[in-house]
Amino acid sequence: MKIHYISENNSVLNHFLGQIRSVNIQNDSMRFRRNIERIGEIMAYELSKNLSYKNVEIQTPLGIKKTTEIESDLVLCSILRAGLPLHNGFLNYFDSAENSFVSACRHHPNNDDAFEILVEYQALSNLNNKTVLLLDPMLATGQSIVAVHEKLVQNAVPKEIHIAVVIAAPEGVAYLEKNLPENCHLWVAALDEKLNGKNYIVPGLGDAGDLAYGNKL
């Protein structure tokens, strides 16, 4: 698996990352969603440099211009519900892409810190020979993304899979490296320090779904 860290150099990306982390700004859920969306737009631009392109000729009012356009057949797939603002950011740039959605959540069967991943709702496009962009704001343990990946390839053979996350823990990155095939790419906006005892990212930002859409029961 090839890993791309895209916040190593200073840019407006780091500005938006700082805002989504700030406890003084997080209480504005609309601003939080919009900043995640803008981060998605920046990540989509960076990821676009690794897609396949074809040569085309464009008719202008004054002549013909040779240029290139995306040749890859793209499918955006976000993990509900936290992935929706990130999905919108990617869709703003890849507006002709197909769209898929999967739900994944931590289930604590014994009401303690131990959990398993439940993948339930699925609304999937035809993924065969497509370039799939799997979107989730937070990469903590990595178990959700691996579980969703297993669902995606159960009945389809994508051409390649790009996983885009806003904030990642080193433990989650290592888990993906161990459990995903070599044709996967991982795009990370920010790599954080570690997971805490409850497997939350530190310093992280909290629960991205709750910050975007309100606390769940």
Side-chain angles (χ1 to χ4, degrees):
M1 183 177 69
K2 187 171 183 180
I3 305 175
H4 311 261
Y5 296 105
I6 62 175
S7 65
E8 294 177 338
N9 298 316
N10 283 327
S11 75
V12 70
L13 172 62
N14 290 338
H15 179 79
F16 296 140
L17 286 168
Q19 290 191 353
I20 64 172
R21 294 182 190 269
S22 172
V23 295
N24 298 317
I25 297 175
Q26 286 183 345
N27 59 352
D28 186 341
S29 59
M30 184 175 69
R31 187 173 180 182
F32 182 85
R33 290 193 302 272
R34 181 63 183 117
N35 279 337
I36 292 288
E37 185 176 342
R38 290 193 283 194
I39 290 169
E41 292 172 347
I42 295 168
M43 297 186 75
Y45 170 74
E46 293 295 335
L47 190 154
S48 73
K49 299 173 185 179
N50 279 254
L51 299 177
S52 298
Y53 289 79
K54 60 183 178 181
N55 296 319
V56 295
E57 292 185 346
I58 303 296
Q59 177 70 58
T60 80
L62 300 176
I64 301 292
K65 173 61 180 177
K66 294 182 179 180
T67 184
T68 60
E69 63 182 30
I70 294 174
E71 186 176 40
S72 304
D73 290 327
L74 300 180
V75 178
L76 306 181
C77 181
S78 60
I79 299 179
L80 300 175
R81 64 180 168 155
L84 290 175
L86 189 63
H87 188 113
N88 288 337
F90 273 81
L91 191 58
N92 288 344
Y93 275 30
F94 302 132
D95 49 88
S96 61
E98 297 178 75
N99 297 271
S100 296
F101 303 90
V102 178
S103 71
C105 65
R106 294 183 181 186
H107 173 59
H108 300 266
N110 301 316
N111 295 319
D112 55 18
D113 291 339
F115 65 89
E116 58 188 14
I117 301 299
L118 296 183
V119 179
E120 298 177 325
Y121 175 81
Q122 302 173 60
L124 300 180
S125 309
N126 178 7
L127 306 180
N128 281 312
N129 205 35
K130 303 289 181 65
T131 297
V132 177
L133 278 54
L134 180 56
L135 313 173
D136 194 10
M138 310 297 284
L139 170 58
T141 67
Q143 294 179 48
S144 293
I145 286 177
V146 169
V148 170
H149 176 271
E150 290 174 355
K151 289 289 184 182
L152 296 183
V153 301
Q154 209 167 45
N155 299 303
V157 182
K159 182 178 181 181
E160 60 181 353
I161 295 180
H162 293 262
I163 299 160
V165 302
V166 176
I167 297 176
E171 295 91 333
V173 173
Y175 188 81
L176 296 194
E177 286 186 289
K178 181 179 178 180
N179 290 281
L180 293 183
E182 291 184 359
N183 70 333
C184 289
H185 290 250
L186 174 62
W187 298 82
V188 178
L191 181 65
D192 274 14
E193 296 173 10
K194 61 181 180 179
L195 295 178
N196 66 12
K198 294 183 178 294
N199 287 313
Y200 293 126
I201 302 173
V202 178
L205 52 75
D207 188 298
D210 287 354
L211 290 167
Y213 298 111
N215 295 333
K216 56 186 176 293
L217 294 177

